[in-house]
Amino acid sequence: MSMITTTAWVPRGFAAPFPTKYKFDEEEFERIASLAKLQLDDAQDDLDEAREKEANGGVSDKEDDDTAMKVDTRDEIEIDDDLKEYDLEHYDDDDDNAGEAQQMGMFGNVKSLAYYESNKEDPYITLKEEEEDDDEREDLQILATDNLLLAAKIEDELAHLEVYVYEDAADNLYVHHDIMLPAIPLCLEWLDIPVSKPGVDKDSTGNFVAIGTFDPDIEIWDLDTVDCMYPNAILGQGGNPEDEKKKKKKKKSKKANDEYHVDAVLALAANRKHRNLLASASADKTVKLWDLHTTKCAKSYSYHTDKVCSLAWHAVESTVLLSGSYDRTVAMADMRAPNAQPMRVGVESDVENVRWDPHDPNFFYVSTENGIIHYFDARNATKDPAVSKSVWKLQAHDESVSSFDLNPVIPGYMATGSTDKTVKLWNITAEGPSLVVSRDFDVGKVFSTTFGPDPEVAFRLAVAGSKGTVSVWDTSTNAGVRKFFAQKVPTKATEEEVEDKLVGVNDDEDDSSSEDGEDDDDDEDESGSDQDSMDEDNE
C-alpha cells in the first residue's frame, strides 16, 4: 500500500543552499536519550503490567523447562584438529577480566564507542573522501530558484516525510531526502521560525515543518538537516520528560485537557505574523495554541462537540482563527478571548476544509463531505449556526471535497480535489464560480491540491492522492486556463509547449522516455475532448 495524505510547499529562499548532515555527538545523544526515555518508560510499564497480570493468573514455567532441557554436551563433542586453536568449546565462557558489564539501553553502548571528528584521523580508513564529499555536497545543493515540496507518505506500512525539490525551469521533480515518522501522518505545516535549534536566535528565519499524526504528539523537524534521527521538538506529552516522571505511576489519561492532545492531530496552522504561535486541531475535539519558543501549550479551546479537522488564521486580524469540525459547524474565534462565545456558521454535512479568501479578508470558504463548497461573509456570522446563510454554494464534486486551495497570487482562481479522483479548476467572479477544466491525473483518490506559493510558480498545482504519487501540474499550459486567466498568465504559452504539462518523479529514465510519446498522444486526445467539455460548461 502506498498513499500520500497531504502536501505543503516551501517558498523560495528559505531552504539552506547546502543542507547539513546530521551530527550525532554527545550533546545530541543526551537530548535524544531524554526524549526517548518516555517511550522506554511506557514500554517498561506495559511489560510490568503484563508480568503482573500473568503472575496473578499463575506463573509460567516455560523458562524453567527450557533451562532444564539444556544439557552441557561439550564433553561429548569431538573437536576437529583444525579448530582446536580457536578454543570454540570455551567460546561462551565468561571472561574473568571482562570487568563490570555495561547496561544496554535504547541506543546500546553507543556513547562508549570510539569515534573520530574526521575520517582523516581514523587509522582504519585509508580512502580519500574529498571527491566524494564534493559530489555529495553538490547533490544536496538547493538553488534560490528551487521550491521544496513536502509530501506525507505511507508506504508498505511505513510512514515518512518526503522532501522534494521542484526545479521549475528544468521541469524536474526529485526526492532530496526523507524523514521517518512514528505514525501515519495526517497534516503538515511549514514553519519559518527555528524551533529548539542550538546556537540559533529564536526569532531568526528558519526552515522547519510541523507534522501531525495518528499519535497525539506533534513533531517538529529541521528541513535543512539531512538524515536526522529524532525531531528537534515534540509538542505534547511525549516532549515533557520532567512532567512524565512525576506521573510515572499514573496511567495516561485519555480525557481532553489543557496541556496536550490525547487523540490524533488532524490539522495545523502557523501564524505568519506572530511566528512563534502554532494552532493544532485534534480528534479529541479541542483546538490548542502552542508557543514554539517554549514548545508548551499556551491555551486550549473547546469550541466544538466533535472532531476538529481544519484550521486557518485570518491574514489581517492575526489573532482570529477559523476552525471546522465534524459537528457541521465552523467557528470564528479571537484567540485572545478564550471564554467568549465564537461566531459560527453551519453546513449540511461534516466539514472537510476551511480557507480564508486571500484576496478579500471578509470572506471564507468551507468544503464538505457531500462535495459542496460554501462561500461565507464573515460579517454575517452569528452565535447561532442554524441561522447562517452562505453567499453562494457550489456542488463541486459528487463525492467529498477532500482538498481545495485558493491561488495566493491570482484572484478568483480555485482548485478542488475529491475522492471521486478528479481535480477541477474554477474561475470565481462576482456572479459566482464557473468550471474551467476537470482532470483525472491517475493519482487515485485526491487528498491534496496546493498551488505554488511564489509568483513565479503561481500556476503550478501539486496533486497527490491514494496511489502514493505526487505531480506538479503547470496549469498555465491548459487552453481553458489561458482563456479565463489570459490577463493574469505571466508568460503566454508557446505553440511548442505541451498541453497540460505534468511534472512527476521519474523512477527510470528509460521508462519515462519511452512513455513520453504515449503521453503526448494522450495529451492531444485529452486536450481536444477537454476543450469540448469546457465549451459545454461555458454554455
Side-chain angles (χ1 to χ4, degrees), residues 221-290:
W221 295 81
D222 185 356
L223 294 173
D224 290 338
T225 304
V226 181
D227 297 333
C228 285
M229 291 179 61
Y230 222 73
N232 286 62
I234 298 176
L235 308 183
Q237 193 173 17
N240 298 303
E242 314 302 343
D243 296 341
E244 183 67 12
K245 289 177 182 177
K246 299 176 184 177
K247 303 174 184 178
K248 188 174 181 181
K249 295 184 179 180
K250 298 181 181 179
K251 290 292 284 183
K252 280 187 177 180
S253 173
K254 290 297 182 182
K255 185 179 179 180
N257 59 75
D258 294 337
E259 298 179 5
Y260 49 82
H261 287 301
V262 295
D263 208 337
V265 179
L266 304 180
L268 295 167
N271 194 309
R272 299 304 174 191
K273 291 193 175 180
H274 306 284
R275 296 167 54 231
N276 65 308
L277 297 182
L278 175 70
S280 62
S282 171
D284 64 13
K285 307 177 187 178
T286 68
V287 174
K288 285 181 168 48
L289 191 62
W290 302 87

Side-chain angles (χ1 to χ4, degrees), residues 301-314:
Y301 308 85
S302 299
Y303 294 139
H304 295 280
T305 60
D306 206 338
K307 297 171 182 159
V308 189
C309 57
S310 186
L311 299 171
W313 287 103
H314 196 278

Side-chain angles (χ1 to χ4, degrees), residues 166-272:
Y166 175 63
E167 301 173 332
D168 185 59
D171 295 330
N172 188 27
L173 181 70
Y174 65 90
V175 178
H176 185 270
H177 65 278
D178 62 359
I179 298 171
M180 299 301 297
L181 301 176
I184 295 176
L186 301 175
C187 53
L188 299 174
E189 184 72 349
W190 173 72
L191 305 174
D192 63 352
I193 185 171
V195 182
S196 300
K197 188 169 184 177
V200 177
D201 182 69
K202 63 180 181 179
D203 291 318
S204 62
T205 301
N207 184 29
F208 286 67
V209 62
I211 305 173
T213 69
F214 268 112
D215 287 344
D217 294 333
I218 301 166
E219 293 191 347
I220 298 180
W221 295 81
D222 185 356
L223 294 173
D224 290 338
T225 304
V226 181
D227 297 333
C228 285
M229 291 179 61
Y230 222 73
N232 286 62
I234 298 176
L235 308 183
Q237 193 173 17
N240 298 303
E242 314 302 343
D243 296 341
E244 183 67 12
K245 289 177 182 177
K246 299 176 184 177
K247 303 174 184 178
K248 188 174 181 181
K249 295 184 179 180
K250 298 181 181 179
K251 290 292 284 183
K252 280 187 177 180
S253 173
K254 290 297 182 182
K255 185 179 179 180
N257 59 75
D258 294 337
E259 298 179 5
Y260 49 82
H261 287 301
V262 295
D263 208 337
V265 179
L266 304 180
L268 295 167
N271 194 309
R272 299 304 174 191

